[in-house]
Amino acid sequence: MTGSARPAGPLTILVTGASAGIGRIICERLAKQQHRFVLAARSADKLALVEATLKSAGAEVLSVPTDVADPNALEQLVKAAVDRFGRIDVLINNAGVECFASFSQLPVEQILQTIETNLTGAILLTRHVVPVMRSQGFGRIINMASTAGKHGPAYGAVYGATKAGLIAFTQSLRGELIPEGISSTVICPGFTTSGGIYDEMVKATGRRTPLLLGGTSAESVAAAVEKAIHKSPPEIILNFPALRPVFIFRDIFPRLGEKLILWTTLKFLRRAAMHGKST
């Protein structure tokens, strides 16, 4: 990598979806290294709680209530970050909504909201951040996708499409920007406990995911973010049992792979869709 000018001191980290769940746990883990944070989420009250926690750990924090589906708000978010800290070293596109429902029953408004929040918002925010990183000669872009982006789940058509889009977006950015010291990593968690929508799905359905489908924890996702900042791998898939061999098998034997994935997941996802869980 050429042109890299990583600062010697703490990094300035912009995190969307920072007010709860995975975003909050990521921030709390990174705050132990006393980085500087720009926190973005829709709820000002929840952001204030996270800000207080990070400040108690010794971190410097700027909270900016932001709806990532609003293009104007994204531009103002980046301006506020640069005005306060002078740079943005790490962008973590974590904001997202999940929806599991029969595709034919999804309202158009929910389809648009999912795309705007999960994909369009991340792309537009990155578009505003890249010139800042380019002027520094250094940057880390971390996009929170999902194993749903590696194989679109039944009853999760729009959600899977947005996460697949994030994977392709990350790959394209990496190829284009890495010569300038700006690397991109996509993280693909499975169903995530202690901070993900999975916990609510379990409460609603009374069932956990099948053993073969597995999942991960929010703490593991936070550790993967830290790894992405320091080592910038192209992709991190987080799940136990490991799903990468399943995806390889599917690529070699498409029909058999599809049947295996459907056999493992369909019953659980259909039940989740019937309960209409989405956030």
Side-chain angles (χ1 to χ4, degrees):
M1 188 189 309
T2 61
S4 182
R6 177 169 178 157
L11 300 173
T12 299
I13 302 174
L14 194 166
V15 186
T16 65
S19 63
I22 292 173
R24 177 171 187 155
I25 292 173
I26 289 170
C27 292
E28 289 174 353
R29 181 183 182 97
L30 296 177
K32 296 175 183 178
Q33 302 169 30
Q34 300 197 343
H35 294 303
R36 302 181 298 188
F37 292 88
V38 181
L39 308 179
R42 287 179 295 180
S43 171
D45 292 340
K46 290 181 179 179
L47 278 180
L49 294 175
V50 179
E51 178 177 342
T53 299
L54 300 188
K55 284 183 174 179
S56 69
E60 191 175 353
V61 183
L62 170 66
S63 294
V64 185
T66 304
D67 181 354
V68 298
D70 180 353
N72 293 326
L74 297 177
E75 186 173 7
Q76 292 304 310
L77 170 62
V78 173
K79 183 179 185 302
V82 174
D83 287 347
R84 173 70 176 271
F85 295 118
R87 58 188 296 131
I88 300 172
D89 299 299
V90 180
L91 168 62
I92 303 173
N93 282 311
N94 171 70
V97 294
E98 294 184 351
C99 59
F100 286 90
S102 171
F103 178 69
S104 61
Q105 295 177 5
L106 271 177
V108 171
E109 294 77 11
Q110 190 172 0
I111 292 173
L112 293 175
Q113 180 194 28
T114 303
I115 295 171
E116 290 166 358
T117 302
N118 293 4
L119 183 58
T120 308
I123 291 173
L124 293 181
L125 179 55
T126 303
R127 175 63 182 81
H128 290 302
V129 169
V130 164
V132 179
M133 292 181 170
R134 181 175 278 133
S135 69
Q136 302 163 178
F138 173 83
R140 297 282 186 266
I141 299 166
I142 301 171
N143 293 320
M144 197 63 62
S146 167
T147 53
K150 303 297 289 184
H151 185 97
Y155 299 98
V158 178
Y159 177 74
T162 62
K163 296 304 184 178
L166 273 180
I167 293 171
F169 176 58
T170 305
Q171 292 167 344
S172 296
L173 281 182
R174 189 175 177 90
E176 179 178 343
L177 298 176
I178 206 166
E180 300 181 58
I182 305 170
S183 69
S184 303
T185 298
V186 64
I187 297 178
C188 301
F191 282 106
T192 306
T193 60
S194 60
I197 187 66
Y198 172 69
D199 295 325
E200 295 184 26
M201 292 172 69
V202 169
K203 288 180 183 178
T205 64
R207 300 290 182 87
R208 294 193 171 275
T209 54
L211 181 61
L212 290 177
L213 181 59
T216 189
S217 68
E219 290 76 13
S220 295
V221 177
V225 169
E226 188 173 22
K227 176 182 178 181
I229 291 172
H230 292 294
K231 298 186 177 180
S232 60
E235 177 183 84
I236 302 174
I237 298 178
L238 296 171
N239 202 78
F240 182 83
L243 287 179
R244 193 179 293 276
V246 175
F247 298 141
I248 293 173
F249 179 83
R250 176 212 56 197
D251 291 341
I252 299 173
F253 305 104
R255 289 186 182 274
L256 286 175
E258 178 188 46
K259 288 181 180 180
L260 173 63
I261 292 171
L262 284 175
W263 176 75
T264 304
T265 65
L266 187 59
K267 190 174 182 180
F268 176 80
L269 293 175
R270 183 188 290 123
R271 186 179 293 114
M274 288 174 60
H275 285 79
K277 293 307 296 179
S278 66
T279 63

